[in-house]
Amino acid sequence: DAGITQSPRYKITETGRQVTLMCHQTWSHSYMFWYRQDLGHGLRLIYYSAAADITDKGEVPDGYVVSRSKTENFPLTLESATRSQTSVYFCASSERRGRNEAFFGQGTRLTVV
Amino acid sequence: AQTVTQSQPEMSVQEAETVTLSCTYDTSENNYYLFWYKQPPSRQMILVIRQEAYKQQNATENRFSVNFQKAAKSFSLKISDSQLGDTAMYFCAFITQGGSEKLVFGKGTKLTVNP
């Protein structure tokens, strides 16, 4: 199916564990983004990528790692999960030509216990 | 730093009435795009309307329109004939053409449409 998909939709993990959130898009968009959404903070940018093998930090990158070996995939890894990383995570992609519109995945609700 | 400010955390409106959501932003870039996204309880992010900064004409999409004031760095959203289905979080966002190229969001406004 065409679009942008995140997996898993829900995840519960323990403090200190490593967890990876997956993001896959089928449009070959150049740009991809990871956000976390917390009450009172809106969407805060964690990392973004302008192309394969090009990534850059956003507003709240600490504790997260990203990679982009292929254009269509942009996984987000929490190296050692903390309770403060409990949040809803959104992946998005966009193309810088035309409408510049960003398309979002369904979100992943991550709970760190 | 590029920032987006939505000064109204919550708003409410009666069905069929008009409501305006405020947004201001800060950037040193001259070329950028502005967006309003809607997030209903389903959590899905949905594009409502977009505006290119180089266009003076305000964008409209059916019942949704914007008031774009580039000099004031203001980008408000007007919803006419409000419907119950408009109840959602609304986020203002922008991305620069060139520069840091980050898609930056405000904290959102929770809109409730009352019957």
Side-chain angles (χ1 to χ4, degrees), chain A residues 1 13 27 29 36 48 74 79 84 95 97 113:
Chain A
D1 290 338
T13 191
W27 296 298
H29 283 169
R36 60 178 290 173
Y48 68 106
F74 191 39
E79 295 183 296
S84 64
E95 190 51 72
R97 297 185 298 272
V113 298

Side-chain angles (χ1 to χ4, degrees), chain B residues 62-97:
Chain B
N62 300 314
R63 297 183 295 107
F64 299 88
S65 62
V66 298
N67 183 3
F68 174 46
Q69 302 289 329
K70 190 172 183 179
K73 295 182 180 176
S74 172
F75 184 61
S76 60
L77 175 69
K78 185 171 81 171
I79 305 174
S80 304
D81 186 25
S82 297
Q83 301 176 359
L84 297 178
D86 295 334
T87 293
M89 284 290 290
Y90 286 82
F91 293 97
C92 179
F94 82 99
I95 190 165
T96 57
Q97 188 74 43

Side-chain angles (χ1 to χ4, degrees), chain A residues 45 54 87:
Chain A
L45 183 63
I54 300 174
S87 186

Side-chain angles (χ1 to χ4, degrees), chain A residues 8-13 18-21 108-112:
Chain A
R9 293 291 305 278
Y10 302 91
K11 176 75 175 178
I12 300 174
T13 191
Q18 182 181 84
V19 60
T20 296
L21 309 183
T108 296
R109 181 177 291 279
L110 175 68
T111 303
V112 183

Side-chain angles (χ1 to χ4, degrees), chain B residues 2-67:
Chain B
Q2 295 171 165
T3 59
V4 178
T5 301
Q6 294 180 248
S7 59
Q8 306 148 315
E10 292 191 40
M11 294 190 72
S12 63
V13 64
Q14 292 299 122
E15 194 174 7
E17 294 188 346
T18 296
V19 64
T20 299
L21 280 57
S22 301
C23 173
T24 58
Y25 59 93
D26 188 26
T27 180
S28 58
E29 300 290 333
N30 195 46
N31 297 320
Y32 49 88
Y33 297 82
L34 294 154
F35 309 90
W36 278 98
Y37 280 87
K38 169 184 177 181
Q39 187 182 42
S42 68
R43 210 168 68 193
Q44 183 65 44
M45 295 289 287
I46 303 165
L47 180 68
V48 174
I49 198 165
R50 64 187 288 275
Q51 173 85 39
E52 296 96 331
Y54 63 86
K55 287 189 176 179
Q56 293 185 338
Q57 186 174 6
N58 290 324
T60 61
E61 290 285 346
N62 300 314
R63 297 183 295 107
F64 299 88
S65 62
V66 298
N67 183 3

